[in-house]
Amino acid sequence: MSEVVKRLGELGSWLAGASLLAMMLIGAADIIGTKFFHRPLPAALEATEVLMVFGAFLGLAYTQANRQHIVVDLLTTRLGAAAQRALHRMGQLLTFGAFLLIAWQGWVLGLASVEIREYAPGLLQFPIYPAKLALAVGATLGAFQSGLDVITSVRRRDP
């Protein structure tokens, strides 16, 4: 199971990177079009908003697996090993719970969006439901990965 989650997390990370590249290209094209040709790129803002979801949520499982989240350990480094371990486990459980809640509501909203075939309003209409499903998938992978981290930490008695 952990190997599948790891591979899907890596795939999600690649897709997140591709969406960030697409956002950069759309932004550059919009700026160049506006500055030099007085024609902004239609729906650049809406496309960037949708791509932001891919960039933010599809990379979560990979980030969680590699323990690359931002950590502020100013206080915890001054505590003893037992307190550090307890806080670390509590943080892992809270992370798992947060991912579960986000995934649950992500699936509720994503499937409702698919059902009504939700599109972005504006000059160019494009579907929003892929981004909502990407949020749900990313949060679900994050939940699986953080759940695996909790299990691994308890088995190994890691800090």
Side-chain angles (χ1 to χ4, degrees):
M1 178 68 160
S2 63
E3 188 63 31
V4 172
V5 173
K6 180 181 177 184
R7 295 279 182 215
L8 290 173
E10 288 173 356
L11 175 63
S13 180
W14 279 100
L15 292 172
S19 73
L20 294 174
L21 176 64
M23 286 189 316
M24 181 186 69
L25 295 173
I26 289 169
D30 186 41
I31 290 169
I32 290 169
T34 302
K35 183 76 173 168
F36 297 111
F37 305 110
H38 304 290
R39 289 184 175 245
L41 189 63
L45 176 65
E46 292 84 357
T48 302
E49 288 173 341
V50 169
L51 288 168
M52 182 70 71
V53 175
F54 285 90
F57 281 91
L58 290 180
L60 287 176
Y62 181 80
T63 304
Q64 180 68 26
N66 292 302
R67 296 183 181 200
Q68 294 178 336
H69 289 292
I70 296 171
V71 176
V72 180
D73 56 1
L74 183 66
L75 175 67
T76 57
T77 56
R78 300 176 198 284
L79 299 174
Q84 284 183 10
R85 188 171 30 260
L87 286 175
H88 180 72
R89 288 220 178 104
M90 185 175 71
Q92 285 181 319
L93 287 171
L94 289 172
T95 300
F96 177 61
F99 276 133
L100 279 177
L101 290 173
I102 294 168
W104 168 45
Q105 285 302 300
W107 283 111
V108 168
L109 294 174
L111 293 175
S113 182
V114 168
E115 187 176 319
I116 64 171
R117 299 180 101 20
E118 187 176 11
Y119 278 75
L123 185 59
L124 293 177
Q125 294 186 347
F126 51 90
I128 292 177
Y129 55 87
K132 289 189 176 185
L133 291 175
L135 180 147
V137 168
T140 301
L141 287 173
F144 276 124
Q145 183 60 55
S146 61
L148 290 170
D149 290 346
V150 169
I151 292 168
T152 302
S153 177
V154 168
R155 282 186 181 167
R156 291 184 183 168
R157 299 192 184 276
D158 285 345

